[in-house]
Amino acid sequence: MAVEEEGLRVFQSVRIKIGEAKNLPTYPGPNKMRDCYCTVNLDQEEVFRTKIVEKSLCPFYGEDFYCEIPRTFRHLSFYIFDRDVFRRDSIIGKVAIQKEDLQKYHNRDTWFQLQHVDADSEVQGKVHLELRLSEVITDTGVVCHKLATRVLECQGLPIVNGQCDPYATVTLAGPSRSEAKKTKVKKKTNNPHFDEVFYFEVTRPSSYNKKSHFDIEDVDEVDKMEIRVDLWNASNLKFGDEFLGELRLPLKFLRQSSSYEAWYFLQPRDNGNKSLKPDDLGSLRLNVVYTEDHVFSSDYYSPLRDILLKSADVEPVSASAAHILGEVCREKQEAAIPLVRLFLHYGRIVPFISAIANAEVKRTQDPNTIFRGNSLTSKCIDETMKLAGMHYLQVTLKPIIDEICQGHKPCEIDPVKLKDGENLENNRENLRQYVDRIFAVITKSGVSCPTVMCDIFFSLRESAAKRFQGDLDVRYTAVSSFIFLRFFAPAILSPNLFQLTPHHPDPQTSRTLTLISKTIQTLGSLSKSKSANFKESYMATFYDYFNEQKYADAVKNFLDLISSSGRRDHKSIEQPILLKEGFMIKRAQGRKRFGMKNFKKRWFRLTNHEFTYQKSKGDHPLCSIPIENILAVERLEEESFKMKNMFQVIQPERRVLYIQANNCVEAKDWIDILTKVSQCNKKRLTVYHPSAYLNGHWLCCKATADNTPGCTPCTGGLPANIQLDIDGDRETERIYSLFNLYMPKLEKMQEACGSKSVYDGPEEEEYSTFIIDDPKETYKTLKLIIEGVGTLEQEHAQYKRDKFKKTKYGSQEHPIGDKSFQTYIRQQSEISAHSI
């Protein structure tokens, strides 16, 4: 979800690898170990939680998390919790990275010291204040000075223990005085509107005919005084109200202007608590990749997009813009991700991959090494399989992976690693049964393989067979090196990375999956001497179970099916595919004539056939909504029920299901996937009500009839087709950013083209890293790329200059205390000074 700015969309995303923690403080008990988990928070809002690692002070998590960030934020935070069975889980420590500092740690494994956490430091949100200092003439004709403090509203306050009932205290404090006043409590909102004014007498009455507003003592007094605004959550707990943040403003700044109105970020309260050193709490290893894309309208990208989309037709393909991007990027993966998404969006992925794969096959000398390197071709096919094949994995592997994770059957076949009481033969039989079942579901799933993957495999098969006509097996190994080696085997090994499990499996299950993955990979490789593939003798012994021709025949039949051009359409055998599931809170839909419309926690489940909810996972559904009955899925304004992260599923006869997700990321994910799966419904609505129908009227438009048509246009949503489930302009912007980042390499490649054209002899060492088959064609493409990138760079620079002129520090978008904006102002000032 993009944040809209003038003529621009801003997308934020973050990819996090949570590695491990070490040297956590011991538990103050006899056992000293802890059961710890880690959460990822946007400011104070939890958006992800790892599994619990039991009985360890150095827990290994090994978990990956990716999300689109649907709102502004100041800190990306990580909390380490210790589970407590009887009380609320306790926080051991945290890592908080300011948004403006994220680029310092971009894509680098970094150890962060855990910091102490106390309630006074856990703040978020902003407050809107107006201050006015004025003279007041008393009845006796003397002058005193009064301060009017108007607390208008707050936004984005933290939700504490599931609720937020905020109020503000306003205090005028000085060396010899302190006067406090308090607003009313606003119930069930973290965006409270107060609009209350408080008056304070600042100076002692003085003679009206004095020239100065203040006498000498008054000036000194005012310079030392401050106005303090504290935000609190009114709590019913015995521990008292929770601190949400504060703001301190010295009064001396009002001497230049008698009136001042602005937004401010709330700040933590400094209570001088320095009892714990950072080293006392241990450390956490993280890898964070934060991306912010500033995307213009589509026409800005036409020149660069056009030369990219022509890549499949360029002869030779090494002279194409897409291939050049792969040459200049530090890692092929960097180039593959946006390229694949762009080509998928425009329906050009198969011809592009066919072209680069054919070129790679021509350069390959040994059929045994075909597609074995980390080339642009292999990375692009990997990325395509991840995007197009996610549902395919769900329907083939997820049921058996779930059974393995829940069953915990012993499958260790290394005699050295056997636990006490385990039997080697029993373990081998358990493992053999798992391998047999997974092998069967894979080799019988050819009809479900996505069309785009089959078309690519057909192209690989044809190129390999043409290049190595004497090798009859190469047509199989060219395909198996991807579908088995790079798709099924990694998904079995790390199911959490392919959304088959929510977390990294426990050590015993992980070992079982490793053994299965190794065996499946070898079965799919069709190599001549399979036992030689294993370094470990126990694996070679185990593989003897599978040295039968029926396994090789099954693999070949499967590969033939997924790489043949005349394959049966997989859509003819459609079966339910689980798309998403999890707990959320729903409001009763009013299906019963009588009864309260209250809120209840339910387990929701979405397949490509229906959207259901039940009391708990595995129970019989209490309600089932066929996908064709979903007419719209839209956000619900917070004012409806004073609850955040709510959305609505609109059905026929104006029936609406109101749902609250756990956090903003979960809400966005549910809205996106529900919209996507129902996008092709013929009766989809064009308008909706953004608020609920309560107390006899719609809160948004005040219409009294419950069947009044909506007052707001429905959002466009995401088309159901994967080719269109991508923002082409955003991907082109990412490609522009990569070209801009690696501009020195583009210029070096231009030099290499010139050198090759003039002197066709031994290559200079600095140019040898580039693949340049046709220097003249490559030079032409490079010239177009550099021109296109230069034009976009100028547009971005102009946009920044215009924004800098229009932006006001202290506005709602850029409150006082916004360090990232202060850094931006400093950079723009330096740029302006340099240009002058």
Side-chain angles (χ1 to χ4, degrees), residues 320-339:
S320 69
H323 195 278
I324 287 169
L325 180 65
E327 288 297 291
V328 298
C329 282
R330 186 165 59 94
E331 295 178 1
K332 302 293 188 213
Q333 184 79 358
E334 275 185 299
I337 292 172
L339 284 174

Side-chain angles (χ1 to χ4, degrees), residues 401 405 490-503 505 513:
I401 294 289
C405 291
I492 296 166
L493 183 65
S494 304
N496 56 306
L497 300 184
F498 291 81
Q499 297 175 23
L500 295 173
T501 60
H503 300 297
L513 293 174

Side-chain angles (χ1 to χ4, degrees), residues 18 51 64 174 192 200 267 275 335 360 371 381 539 563 577 601 638 673 730 775 821 826:
I18 303 172
K51 64 182 179 185
D64 288 43
F200 298 92
Q267 303 297 331
S275 60
E360 183 174 330
F371 300 129
I381 296 175
M539 281 302 298
S563 62
I577 298 170
K601 189 175 182 180
E638 185 184 334
I673 197 162
R730 183 181 181 184
F821 184 66
R826 189 167 59 251

